[in-house]
Amino acid sequence: MRTLKASGNASLSTDPEENGHSEAVSEFSRDVIRGLTSPRKTLPCKYLYDEAGSLIFEQICELDDYYLTRTESEIFSKNLPAIAEALGRDVTMIEPGAGNCEKAQPLLAIMDTPRCYIPIDISPEILLAAESRIETALPGLQVQPVIGDFTMPESLGEKTAENKEVIFFPGSTIGNFTWEQARTLLQGFGSRLSAGDGLLLGVDLVKDSVILERAYHDDQHVTEAFNKNLLQRINRELNGDFDLDAFAHKAFYHPLRQRVEMHLVSLKSQRVNIDGVQIDFEEGETIHTENSHKYTLETLETLLADAGFHPQQYWTDKNKHYALCYADFA
Ligand code: AVI
């Protein structure tokens, strides 16, 4: 069994059973009960990504309707040398929520003598596999994986060397945070950085609501399966008795809030039991499961400035559906 660096001072085993599995279950239970007993029922979107949910999300990324992943990767492939130049030389790259690190690898391969790559993720298995793949592909690059929840600023650790550092945060993940949460998250990123360091951020842009709604309500019902997997997860892990057919997937663009909201709508008045707690639903009542905020270059600049970052360069696709932004930390 290998031990990996964990955020904070603790070290983590690569065996998930040894890593406070029951603590995670009780946190899940607490969050679910709290969310479903609040006046407007809600569930934290981070719980969409158990093993089954992560696999369904990979299928979403392949959908024609879900333009985000495809568009971001087109922007990367067309602009890789320019992006690498903006990042500079002798850089340490830190990637919160790195997953399998597949977006960072081509960038690291083309960057001028990157010094170190620090991927952060809660899944030790995925990080370990990515670490050995990157070490084989890019010999000489130091890879220092960290197991941790990137929403906790301590998972980023402290800067220990003088060289430039860049936080890499692609995938429009920032969109799943409210404005206040996004600012707090970016400020947390900034707490590791010093003046002249940077941030490379992927964001989905405001666009025609038909395109947006199709991306989150696809014809093949993959996003529906992704959303409903959350109920299945509650049934599996918390002894719930949700009837999945008694809920409908709903996703719509809210133009004032500039976000796509994802909900599960109760199709009838019903009672659900979770961990011995009874939850009553009226017909038409919804569980709000996710927000996906869309930005304009102006709102993005305001958000970044609030957290101490200043955009230097943007790369977008021909339809201006998506943007990659390189910002300096000052
Ligand atoms: C991970 N995140 C950026 C996705 C999004 O587009 O907000 C999650 C997602 N939810 C439904 N489809 C995709």
Side-chain angles (χ1 to χ4, degrees):
M1 195 66 50
R2 228 194 104 181
T3 301
L4 286 170
K5 189 163 186 285
S7 56
N9 292 323
S11 39
L12 271 181
S13 159
T14 52
D15 179 353
E17 290 303 315
E18 291 176 21
N19 289 334
H21 178 66
S22 56
E23 262 171 52
V25 171
S26 61
E27 189 188 336
F28 179 40
S29 168
R30 212 180 36 240
D31 289 349
V32 165
I33 301 299
R34 190 190 296 136
L36 295 183
T37 52
S38 62
R40 283 174 186 228
K41 293 183 173 59
T42 167
L43 289 169
C45 66
K46 66 177 178 181
Y47 293 121
L48 290 162
Y49 301 90
D50 64 343
E51 209 180 322
S54 301
L55 287 174
I56 307 174
F57 180 63
E58 281 177 24
Q59 292 172 28
I60 290 179
C61 294
E62 302 287 317
L63 293 170
D64 282 347
D65 288 338
Y66 192 73
Y67 58 86
L68 286 82
T69 314
R70 190 178 59 248
T71 310
E72 185 184 69
S73 95
E74 275 166 25
I75 298 173
F76 267 118
S77 18
K78 279 198 183 143
N79 301 284
L80 215 46
I83 296 169
E85 200 186 325
L87 300 192
R89 68 190 307 268
D90 204 23
V91 163
T92 291
M93 182 195 276
I94 303 150
E95 185 177 3
N100 61 15
C101 309
E102 67 179 5
K103 291 180 184 171
Q105 192 174 328
L107 193 51
L108 288 162
I110 199 177
M111 280 165 68
D112 191 353
T113 56
R115 189 183 281 200
C116 180
Y117 173 52
I118 307 179
I120 304 169
D121 206 277
I122 45 169
S123 165
E125 296 82 9
I126 295 177
L127 266 191
L128 270 181
E131 179 192 19
S132 63
R133 195 193 68 232
I134 293 181
E135 281 175 344
T136 310
L138 305 171
L141 175 70
Q142 227 188 81
V143 183
Q144 287 178 359
V146 173
I147 312 294
D149 176 351
F150 70 81
T151 59
M152 306 292 177
E154 62 270 20
S155 71
L156 271 76
E158 279 176 22
K159 188 169 177 173
T160 52
E162 295 280 283
N163 65 307
K164 179 175 175 180
E165 297 199 333
V166 173
I167 309 252
F168 180 44
F169 200 49
S172 180
T173 308
I174 193 79
N176 297 130
F177 294 81
T178 62
W179 183 278
E180 293 72 24
Q181 291 165 343
R183 187 180 46 205
T184 304
L185 183 74
L186 294 176
Q187 282 167 344
F189 291 175
S191 68
R192 171 168 176 132
L193 303 179
S194 41
D197 288 344
L199 169 72
L200 180 61
L201 182 71
V203 283
D204 195 19
L205 299 176
V206 168
K207 62 184 67 63
D208 189 314
S209 62
V210 174
I211 299 172
L212 284 168
E213 289 181 356
R214 219 188 302 126
Y216 293 83
H217 215 307
D218 61 281
D219 288 349
Q220 294 172 60
H221 306 280
V222 184
T223 314
E224 174 180 346
F226 178 63
N227 202 4
K228 286 193 176 180
N229 175 61
L230 190 45
L231 303 185
Q232 231 157 357
R233 179 176 181 182
I234 294 171
N235 286 353
R236 255 190 325 260
E237 295 180 25
L238 304 179
N239 244 329
D241 62 1
F242 274 107
D243 170 7
L244 268 57
D245 293 332
F247 286 85
H249 167 68
K250 181 175 176 186
F252 61 90
Y253 182 61
H254 193 307
L256 274 181
R257 297 189 178 139
Q258 296 192 317
R259 69 188 191 196
V260 175
E261 292 190 8
M262 208 163 74
H263 292 252
L264 288 160
V265 188
S266 177
L267 295 174
K268 59 181 186 189
S269 135
Q270 55 183 318
R271 172 167 289 176
V272 175
N273 298 285
I274 301 163
D275 253 354
V277 179
Q278 295 178 334
I279 313 279
D280 288 322
F281 288 87
E282 285 170 23
E283 184 178 344
E285 191 176 359
T286 82
I287 310 172
H288 187 171
T289 50
E290 188 186 60
N291 291 315
S292 193
H293 290 84
K294 310 302 165 190
Y295 284 89
T296 62
L297 297 189
E298 292 71 32
T299 56
L300 178 61
E301 193 168 338
T302 307
L303 173 71
L304 287 169
D306 269 7
F309 292 93
H310 303 286
Q312 302 297 313
Q313 242 176 303
Y314 292 102
W315 297 271
T316 63
D317 54 295
K318 65 176 184 323
N319 298 314
K320 305 249 183 307
H321 281 178
Y322 195 92
L324 276 177
C325 171
Y326 177 70
D328 264 350
F329 184 67

